[in-house]
C-alpha cells in the first residue's frame, strides 16, 4: 500500500495546541520570536499582508489577528497612507520586559491573578487527589530545576513547566491547556518583579505545594497554590504602580 | 517476530485482591489487548527499521545523521494509516548524541487531516525546551530494555489529549539508540471498553480497569472516574475478582468495596 504523502507543517512550538485553532497565536509567536531574535530588524517593513500570509501559510484574517496582537505588544507599528504598512519595532531590553506590563491596567492584572488562582488552585487540589509516586518525583525534579535556574528565562521556563506539570498531574487536559495559555500569555511578567531577586521564597512555596500533593492533602495544596499566585500578583501590581513613579 | 512482554511500571502496587478472574472479563479485554498488541507490533517494526539504520551506519563506519531518518517515514506513515483513529501519532525519538549532527532528535508524526510532523523545541537553553528524556515512555524502555505502555497521561506536547504511549527500545550492538513509539488516545480505549464494563458490571459490583500503578483507565461506574487513582491504602480497594490484562500491565477490578468507596 502506498503511504500517504508526508507534509511538513508549519512550525509548532511547545505551547501551541494542535487542533484548537491556535493559528493566530502561532503566527504571533513566530513573528514575535523573529523580532526578539533580531531576524526582523527595527524599522523593517513587513511584506504586504497577502504576501506575508502566503509565506506563513495562513489566511489574511489570521495574519491580521496576529498583527493586531503584535501591535498591542508594541512589536509592530502600522502606519496608514502612502509609504504605510506594518513596521517592526524591536524594543530594547528594559522596554521589552516592561512594555507588556505598562499595557495592562491594575484591573486586568488583578483579573489575570484571579484566573491563575482559579486554575492553579483547582489543579493543585486535583493533583493531590490523583498523583502517583512517580508524578511526585517528576514534580520535585522540576522544582529542583527552578531552584538551580539563575537567568530570568530559565526561571520562567522552570516555573511554567512545574505549574503545567501540576495541571497534568491533575489528569486534566483542559486545566493543563489553561495553564499553558496563561503562562504563554503572562509568563514573561511573572518573574519580572523578581529580576535579580532570590529564588528561595518561590522555591519554598513549591516545596510545600509538592509536599501537600504527595501527602494527598487536596485542600492544603489548593490553599498553598492560591496563596502563591496571590503573592506573585501582588508583586506585579506593586511593580505596575511603580512604573508611574519612575 | 518475537517480543518480550511489556515491562511492569516501576511502582506497580496492585490493589488488594483475593478472588479468581471476573466472568467475561477476559473477553472484555481481549479486543482492546489485541488492538494494542497490533500497535505494539507496528511500533516494533519501526524500531527494527531504526535498528537496521543504526547497524548500517555502524557497519559502514559512517556517522548516523538526521537525514538518515527520512527512510523511516514511509513506514511511520503506513503505521499511522493502519491504526487510523486509534493511534494519533508515531515516530522515533533518539537518545542524546545518538546522531552525529543533532544532540537531540524527535522524529514524530501525528495523524490529523493528513499527516504532520511534530515540531518541538529541543534547544536546552530555550524557554520552551522539551526534555523528552524525562518522560515515562522514554525513560522506561531505556531503563528496562523492554517495551512499555505509558499512561494514561495528559500529553500536552503532541495530542493535547488524555493519552497512552506505546514505546519500544531501539538497541544496536548493545547500545541504546532511542525509542520507537505511538500515541493512543485514552478516549478511544475507553470507547471500546465502556459497553462491556457497564454490561458486565452490576450495580453492587461495578467493574473498573486500572493501570499497573492503580490509575483508572475506564470505569463502569460514574462514582469512580477515569484518571483517579485506586490506592491500596486508601478508601478504595477491590475485594472482588481481578483479571490481569494479558501482556498489558493493566487489571480489571470489580467488587462491592468499589461501591462502598463510591459512597464516601
Amino acid at each position: 500500500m502506498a503511504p500517504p504523502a508526508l507534509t511538513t507543517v508549519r512550525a509548532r512550538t511547545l505551547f501551541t495546541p494542535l487542533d484548537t485553532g491556535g493559528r493566530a497565536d502561532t503566527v504571533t509567536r513566530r513573528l514575535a520570536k523573529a523580532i526578539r531574535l533580531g531576524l526582523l530588524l527595527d524599522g523593517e517593513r513587513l511584506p504586504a499582508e497577502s504576501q506575508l500570509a502566503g509565506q506563513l501559510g495562513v489566511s489574511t484574517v489570521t495574519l491580521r489577528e496576529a498583527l493586531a496582537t503584535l501591535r498591542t505588544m508594541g512589536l509592530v507599528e502600522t502606519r496608514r497612507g502612502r509609504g504605510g504598512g506594518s513596521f517592526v519595532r524591536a524594543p530594547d531590553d528594559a522596554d521589552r520586559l516592561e512594555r507588556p506590563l505598562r499595557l495592562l491596567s491594575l484591573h486586568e492584572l488583578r483579573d489575570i491573578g484571579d484566573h491563575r488562582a482559579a486554575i492553579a488552585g483547582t489543579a493543585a487540589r486535583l493533583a493531590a487527589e490523583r498523583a502517583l509516586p512517580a508524578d511526585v518525583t517528576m514534580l520535585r525534579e522540576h522544582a529542583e530545576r527552578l531552584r538551580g535556574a539563575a537567568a530570568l528565562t530559565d526561571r520562567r521556563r522552570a516555573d511554567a513547566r512545574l505549574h503545567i506539570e501540576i495541571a497534568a498531574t491533575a489528569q486534566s487536559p483542559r486545566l493543563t491547556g489553561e495553564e499553558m495559555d496563561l503562562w504563554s500569555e503572562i509568563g514573561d511578567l511573572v518573574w519580572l518583579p523578581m529580576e535579580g531577586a532570590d529564588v528561595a521564597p518561590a522555591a519554598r512555596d513549591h516545596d510545600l505545594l509538592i509536599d501537600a500533593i504527595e501527602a494527598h492533602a487536596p485542600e492544603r495544596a489548593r490553599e498553598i497554590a492560591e496563596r502563591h499566585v496571590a503573592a506573585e500578583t501582588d508583586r506585579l501590581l506593586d511593580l505596575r504602580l511603580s512604573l508611574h513613579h519612575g | 517476530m518475537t517480543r518480550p512482554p511489556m515491562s511492569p511500571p516501576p511502582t506497580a502496587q496492585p490493589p488488594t485482591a483475593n478472588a479468581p478472574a471476573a466472568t467475561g472479563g477476559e473477553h472484555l479485554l481481549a479486543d482492546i489487548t489485541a488492538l494494542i498488541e497490533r500497535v505494539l507490533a507496528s511500533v516494533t517494526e519501526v524500531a527494527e527499521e531504526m535498528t537496521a539504520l543504526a547497524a548500517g551506519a555502524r557497519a559502514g563506519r559512517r556517522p548516523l545523521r538526521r537525514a538518515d531518518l527520512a527512510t523511516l517515514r514511509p513506514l511511520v506513515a503506513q503505521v499511522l494509516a493502519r491504526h487510523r483513529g486509534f493511534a494519533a501519532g508515531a515516530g522515533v525519538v533518539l537518545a542524546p548524541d545518538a546522531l552525529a549532527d543533532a544532540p537531540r532528535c524527535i522524529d514524530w508524526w501525528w495523524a490529523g487531516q493528513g499527516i504532520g510532523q511534530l515540531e518541538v523545541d529541543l534547544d536546552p537553553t530555550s524557554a520552551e525546551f522539551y526534555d523528552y528524556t524525562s518522560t515515562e515512555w522514554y525513560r522506561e524502555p531505556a531503563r528496562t530494555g523492554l517495551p512499555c505502555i505509558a499512561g494514561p497521561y495528559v500529553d500536552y506536547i503532541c495530542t493535547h489529549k488524555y493519552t497512552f504511549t506505546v514505546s519500544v527500545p531501539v538497541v544496536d550492538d548493545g547500545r541504546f539508540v532511542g525509542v520507537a513509539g505511538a500515541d493512543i488516545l485514552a478516549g478511544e480505549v475507553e470507547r471500546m471498553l465502556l459497553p462491556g464494563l457497564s454490561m458486565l458490571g452490576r450495580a453492587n459490583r461495578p467493574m473498573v480497569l486500572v493501570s499497573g500503578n492503580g490509575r483508572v483507565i475506564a470505569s463502569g461506574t460514574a462514582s469512580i472516574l477515569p484518571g483517579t487513582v485506586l490506592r491500596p491504602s486508601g478508601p478504595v480497594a477491590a475485594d472482588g475478582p481481578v483479571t490481569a490484562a494479558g501482556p498489558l500491565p493493566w487489571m480489571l477490578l470489580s467488587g462491592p468495596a468499589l461501591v462502598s468507596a463510591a459512597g464516601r
Side-chain angles (χ1 to χ4, degrees):
Chain A
M1 184 185 67
L6 295 172
T7 53
T8 304
V9 292
R10 62 190 190 285
R12 284 175 195 285
T13 60
L14 167 55
F15 296 112
T16 308
L18 257 190
D19 49 9
T20 49
R23 290 183 142 229
D25 287 347
T26 308
V27 171
T28 307
R29 235 184 330 267
R30 281 184 70 180
L31 290 173
K33 199 169 183 179
I35 293 169
R36 283 178 186 146
L37 291 175
L39 299 174
L40 293 168
L41 298 174
D42 190 38
E44 190 174 335
R45 182 193 187 145
L46 292 175
E49 280 183 3
S50 56
Q51 196 190 339
L52 184 56
Q55 284 173 9
L56 293 164
V58 296
S59 68
T60 45
V61 178
T62 304
L63 177 67
R64 274 184 206 140
E65 201 183 315
L67 287 175
T69 313
L70 289 165
R71 268 196 294 278
T72 353
M73 293 164 82
L75 293 174
V76 159
E77 193 178 55
T78 302
R79 293 175 216 148
R80 302 206 172 276
R82 231 178 115 93
S86 291
F87 295 85
V88 173
R89 282 210 45 182
D92 61 36
D93 247 24
D95 196 33
R96 174 174 63 84
L97 288 167
E98 283 179 6
R99 177 179 275 274
L101 186 60
R102 240 176 246 281
L103 290 169
L104 292 168
S105 65
L106 292 186
H107 159 78
E108 283 170 314
L109 279 174
R110 195 222 71 218
D111 197 31
I112 290 170
D114 292 347
H115 188 186
R116 285 191 62 211
I119 302 300
T122 303
R125 175 171 69 77
L126 295 174
E129 283 176 13
R130 298 171 185 171
L132 290 167
D135 297 322
V136 175
T137 308
M138 177 268 303
L139 292 177
R140 294 224 186 269
E141 282 170 11
H142 284 291
E144 208 47 52
R145 221 160 282 170
L146 174 58
R147 208 186 296 276
L152 212 56
T153 346
D154 295 340
R155 289 180 175 183
R156 170 207 182 292
R157 174 180 80 209
D159 202 9
R161 198 56 188 270
L162 175 61
H163 284 94
I164 290 165
E165 288 289 359
I166 289 171
T169 301
Q171 310 299 304
S172 168
R174 279 173 185 264
L175 288 177
T176 309
E178 285 285 320
E179 277 289 13
M180 286 165 67
D181 289 349
L182 278 167
W183 277 93
S184 63
E185 187 187 344
I186 51 86
D188 285 335
L189 292 182
V190 172
W191 280 88
L192 191 54
M194 297 287 286
E195 179 128 50
D198 190 8
V199 72
R204 238 187 334 268
D205 273 2
H206 292 145
D207 287 345
L208 289 174
L209 177 52
I210 299 170
D211 288 348
I213 290 171
E214 184 170 31
H216 306 308
E219 283 313 315
R220 180 150 54 95
R222 184 179 60 77
E223 196 193 311
I224 294 168
E226 287 179 357
R227 188 157 40 77
H228 177 68
V229 170
E232 283 178 350
T233 307
D234 283 349
R235 278 200 302 272
L236 267 180
L237 289 166
D238 284 345
L239 182 65
R240 176 67 185 80
L241 280 167
S242 75
L243 292 180
H244 287 289
H245 307 300
Chain B
M1 180 182 61
T2 56
R3 276 195 317 275
M6 295 268 191
S7 62
T11 53
Q13 301 171 326
T16 51
N18 56 14
T23 324
E26 308 88 333
H27 182 69
L28 173 66
L29 290 176
D31 287 350
I32 190 70
T33 306
L35 205 48
I36 291 173
E37 286 261 274
R38 283 205 285 281
V39 174
L40 180 60
S42 292
V43 169
T44 306
E45 274 179 60
V46 178
E48 282 166 357
E49 199 158 316
M50 181 66 228
T51 307
L53 273 181
R58 182 169 47 80
R61 294 178 183 283
R62 56 185 173 77
L64 191 62
R65 294 188 180 280
R66 209 188 157 89
D68 294 333
L69 302 181
T71 59
L72 292 175
R73 290 175 187 171
L75 176 60
V76 171
Q78 257 178 39
V79 166
L80 286 173
R82 206 182 286 164
H83 304 287
R84 189 161 188 81
F86 190 62
V92 291
V93 174
L94 281 296
D97 299 320
L99 297 182
D101 57 350
R104 285 162 183 260
C105 176
I106 182 160
D107 201 77
W108 202 266
W109 300 81
W110 47 264
Q113 290 161 333
I115 288 177
Q117 183 168 20
L118 175 72
E119 288 188 24
V120 289
D121 197 332
L122 297 177
D123 173 4
T125 63
S126 150
E128 296 179 344
F129 169 54
Y130 172 50
D131 181 13
Y132 56 75
T133 61
S134 64
T135 62
E136 185 188 356
W137 52 261
Y138 179 91
R139 206 142 57 169
E140 281 310 298
R143 188 178 67 88
T144 62
L146 296 171
C148 142
I149 181 161
Y153 68 100
V154 177
D155 172 17
Y156 57 81
I157 301 297
C158 184
T159 65
H160 294 265
K161 294 201 166 84
Y162 212 37
T163 304
F164 296 97
T165 300
V166 173
S167 56
V168 174
V170 177
V171 179
D172 168 50
D173 195 32
R175 190 170 78 110
F176 176 74
V177 180
V179 303
D183 293 329
I184 293 172
L185 299 176
E188 290 302 313
V189 173
E190 185 195 88
R191 204 169 54 77
M192 287 188 64
L193 290 165
L194 206 50
L197 284 173
S198 40
M199 199 171 67
L200 289 172
R202 297 278 172 274
N204 61 341
R205 298 184 76 81
M207 205 172 253
V208 173
L209 181 68
V210 300
S211 68
N213 45 26
R215 176 90 67 206
V216 176
I217 294 166
S219 161
T221 170
S223 50
I224 301 172
L225 292 176
T228 57
V229 179
L230 297 189
R231 297 182 201 286
S233 56
V236 186
D239 57 353
V242 171
T243 308
L248 298 175
W250 295 353
M251 284 165 296
L252 197 57
L253 313 177
S254 76
L258 295 175
V259 179
S260 57
R264 76 197 150 104

